[in-house]
Amino acid sequence: DGGELLHAFIGKSPGFGCCFVQLAGRKEVLVASEDMEAAAGARTEDNKRVLSAEHWYDLEILRFKRDDAIEFAIKKGHATVRVQQVLPGKGPVEIQPAAKSEAQKSEGKSTGKTEDKKDDPKKAEGPKPIWWITEPEGGPASPPACAEIINCASELCARGYADDVKPAEYGLEQPAARLRIQLRDGTAFKLVLGKLFPDFGILQVEGRPEILK
């Protein structure tokens, strides 16, 4: 409604996890039992209070459900390793597009087609997919190695934007590696890893302008 929610002056901290606070237009000085400095977006760095836009950036790169990943491929130079979720005796797990539209659902109802919910749930589950190397040669993949990649990518966040790195040093034209992840619904992510510095690497998601650390 346009009304002001809070206007306060935040002072020094008389102890751990608290600070002096004075509300605008009030004479009383209070001791807040919360870390109001952090709540106001400021941070203490080298005994100085710093308010930086960098602390407000959304640094989330990727977020998806781990079980939705059905394939990934890593390319380094001319070498490529491709790993897929495979159903034993049937082949790779197929892409399943998003749920049917309302028109398709109505069409299914009009023809009298309904799902049989009385099927044996164990029978309906079928064999569980496993990770299988399909390139350069076929063979079983290491579940822990695959889980490490998928777990990392499913909640991937950047350290920050590479604004302080010169574009000539990005190293994206001849990347250190490329990673492609395919999800069950058809969504695919392509990550390009550029130059590797001592404390970070340059990363870009294909199709997005941001250059990240």
Side-chain angles (χ1 to χ4, degrees):
D1 60 359
E4 189 172 72
L5 181 64
L6 175 68
H7 184 184
F9 302 98
I10 301 171
K12 294 182 178 180
S13 174
F16 180 76
C18 61
C19 62
F20 292 116
V21 177
Q22 184 180 43
L23 299 179
R26 301 283 292 273
K27 294 182 179 180
E28 300 89 346
V29 176
L30 308 173
V31 177
S33 60
E34 302 292 337
D35 187 356
M36 293 294 292
E37 181 182 34
R43 298 189 181 189
T44 300
E45 298 178 0
D46 298 329
N47 295 323
K48 294 182 180 179
R49 290 187 176 181
V50 178
L51 179 63
S52 173
E54 291 184 359
H55 299 149
W56 293 84
Y57 289 145
D58 180 2
L59 297 177
E60 182 176 287
I61 302 174
L62 295 182
R63 182 173 294 274
F64 58 86
K65 293 181 180 180
R66 300 169 187 175
D67 292 340
D68 288 346
I70 60 172
E71 177 185 336
F72 66 87
I74 302 173
K75 183 176 182 181
K76 187 173 183 179
H78 297 290
T80 299
V81 175
R82 183 185 183 193
V83 185
Q84 293 179 277
Q85 285 261 295
V86 173
L87 290 169
K90 294 186 177 181
V93 174
E94 296 182 356
I95 294 175
Q96 299 176 356
K100 293 182 179 180
S101 65
E102 292 300 324
Q104 290 174 317
K105 291 180 181 179
S106 300
E107 182 179 351
K109 291 179 181 179
S110 64
T111 56
K113 296 180 180 179
T114 58
E115 295 182 0
D116 187 359
K117 297 182 180 180
K118 296 181 180 180
D119 289 343
D120 184 354
K122 294 183 179 180
K123 187 177 180 181
E125 286 182 3
K128 292 184 179 180
I130 60 174
W131 287 111
W132 193 265
I133 302 172
T134 56
E135 188 181 344
E137 298 176 358
S142 166
C146 296
E148 184 177 0
I149 293 174
I150 298 302
N151 291 346
C152 177
S154 65
E155 297 182 3
L156 185 61
C157 293
R159 175 180 296 186
Y161 287 89
D163 296 337
D164 57 346
V165 179
K166 297 179 180 179
E169 297 181 350
Y170 287 162
L172 295 171
E173 294 183 359
Q174 294 182 337
R178 295 175 180 269
L179 171 63
R180 180 182 183 275
I181 300 176
Q182 178 73 57
L183 302 187
R184 192 183 305 272
D185 64 359
T187 303
F189 301 107
K190 297 180 180 179
L191 307 182
V192 183
L193 181 62
K195 184 177 179 179
L196 302 178
F197 291 85
D199 299 325
F200 63 89
I202 298 296
L203 182 70
Q204 184 178 30
V205 180
E206 193 170 291
R208 301 181 191 175
E210 297 86 4
I211 309 297
L212 305 166
K213 291 182 180 180

